[in-house]
Amino acid sequence: MRRLPIYFVLDVSESMVGENLKKLDDGINSIIRTLRQDPYALETVHVGVIAFAGKARTIVPLIEVASFYPPKLPIGSGTSLGRALFHLMAELDKSVDKTTLEHKGDWKPIIYLITDGKPTDSVSSAVAKWKSDYANRATLIAIALGRFADTGVLKQLTEHALILENTTDEDFKLFYSWITDSVKSQSKSVSDIPSDDANLAKLDETILSLVKDTMDFRKVDPDYVILTGRCQRTRLPYLMKYERNTQQVKHQDFSMVATNYTISGCYPLGEEYFEWSDTGNGQLKVNTSELLGTPGCPHCGNISAFAICACGGIMCLNGLGTAVCPWCEKEVTFSIGSGDDEGFDVNRAQG
Ligand SMILES: [Zn+2]
Ligand SMILES: [Zn+2]
């Protein structure tokens, strides 16, 4: 039996925390559920999942649809697209059965690469290798989620570079049914008229459009700030997400635009967060005076998840006094601040 390998290569960087990660989870579930009811897909489709943040790993090795069990998606720091591509190429070499003169191997694999950010590693050698050695052996569909993804690099990779500009529930639903329809039509077509040509479902251009012009690639900051903290008691990490507010402030003599960020969620993570993270290049700063709202610790219930040690690490705290910093292991004493409102800079995540 010739298999039709379908890979999902998913960006699980910090910016995906919360709603988007849940939508990705739900999406994979709904795609698999529908494929399980399709006789052609059941017979030919095998699904694999690769996740990438700072690191890239296979979280579900290629497996038939009937036996696929949806994975728990991790979260990590960084968007190492270069690493993800090298990992994908190694995975294809390892898992996909090649066609030779004497032997018919698997059908041409189809890869859905989904990202919402800009690469934080170097991608040029991975892109060059993909184009010279893999682009004709696999169909790559690269999808930019939202307005802040680097569509330019996706367009370099493949002619099938798409953007899902709005990420409402309804848009996501249509997006996943487009993927499902494409997989179904491909599995039917390899059964009917054996051919490796990709059969993608028709695009609804109001939802998902081809990346045509990347001149308007946005270099501005995204609409959020994400900070990584660590629970003092459990030592486990968490992410605090702040969303941008822009207000027009009008006075008698002048008007100005004020920007700040309001807390929108605080998400507990497991220790594996560090295994998925790229350490050492998180030098983006934000001033605390721009951040509104302090969540409680999602792990231990301490009233504040936002105490900062002299080492720069963010930790949870339950009032003033002495605590051991879970980042640098030193004892810190928190006392009432000097009362000025200038704030100070803290490290923000790379997104
Ligand atoms: Zn805590
Ligand atoms: Zn510290």
Side-chain angles (χ1 to χ4, degrees), residues 138-203:
T139 303
L140 175 61
I141 296 137
I143 300 126
L145 283 190
R147 300 176 295 135
F148 301 105
D150 183 347
T151 52
V153 66
L154 302 184
K155 207 182 169 194
Q156 277 176 43
L157 266 174
T158 172
E159 58 180 314
H160 307 293
L162 306 169
I163 178 162
L164 181 72
E165 184 124 9
N166 299 308
T167 52
T168 64
D169 286 352
E170 192 53 28
D171 288 322
F172 261 98
K173 219 174 265 172
L174 293 166
F175 167 53
Y176 291 126
S177 54
W178 174 78
I179 293 183
T180 312
D181 290 346
S182 296
V183 173
K184 275 162 69 176
S185 77
Q186 185 71 1
S187 63
K188 182 168 189 319
S189 85
V190 296
S191 310
D192 290 350
I193 335 143
S195 150
D196 259 340
D197 298 337
N199 274 282
L200 304 180
K202 199 175 162 352
L203 277 181

Side-chain angles (χ1 to χ4, degrees), residues 2 85 213 226 242 270 276 299 309 336:
R2 301 178 72 183
L85 289 170
D213 190 357
I226 294 168
Y242 287 84
W276 284 88
H299 286 296
C309 172
I336 297 165

Side-chain angles (χ1 to χ4, degrees), residues 2-6 32 35 38 40-47 63-66 183-184 186-187:
R2 301 178 72 183
R3 303 177 301 174
L4 173 60
I6 305 286
I32 298 296
L35 293 179
D38 184 88
Y40 296 101
L42 272 177
E43 203 159 301
T44 58
V45 173
H46 282 58
V47 179
I63 191 168
E64 60 192 355
V65 169
V183 173
K184 275 162 69 176
Q186 185 71 1
S187 63

Side-chain angles (χ1 to χ4, degrees), residues 236-274:
L236 292 170
Y238 52 83
L239 295 182
M240 294 185 280
K241 189 170 190 178
Y242 287 84
E243 282 178 21
R244 186 206 299 269
N245 293 312
T246 307
Q247 280 169 326
Q248 188 81 27
V249 180
K250 281 207 169 98
H251 274 256
Q252 206 173 336
D253 308 325
F254 68 97
S255 84
M256 61 177 280
V257 178
T259 299
N260 54 39
Y261 298 86
T262 308
I263 188 76
S264 72
C266 188
Y267 305 92
L269 300 175
E271 191 63 33
E272 74 279 1
Y273 166 77
F274 296 106

Side-chain angles (χ1 to χ4, degrees), residues 118-135:
K118 306 174 186 51
T120 51
D121 64 346
S122 155
V123 291
S124 50
S125 59
V127 171
K129 186 167 187 212
W130 176 266
K131 288 174 84 168
S132 68
D133 301 348
Y134 292 84

Side-chain angles (χ1 to χ4, degrees), residues 86-145:
F86 279 121
H87 183 88
L88 168 66
M89 293 185 271
E91 179 69 48
L92 293 175
D93 287 344
K94 193 177 91 184
S95 305
V96 176
D97 188 13
K98 282 202 195 75
T99 294
T100 61
L101 282 175
E102 303 84 46
H103 162 79
K104 284 213 178 301
D106 290 327
W107 296 107
K108 194 174 184 175
I110 301 185
I111 294 125
Y112 292 91
L113 166 71
I114 302 177
T115 179
D116 75 336
K118 306 174 186 51
T120 51
D121 64 346
S122 155
V123 291
S124 50
S125 59
V127 171
K129 186 167 187 212
W130 176 266
K131 288 174 84 168
S132 68
D133 301 348
Y134 292 84
N136 57 351
R137 286 171 29 198
T139 303
L140 175 61
I141 296 137
I143 300 126
L145 283 190

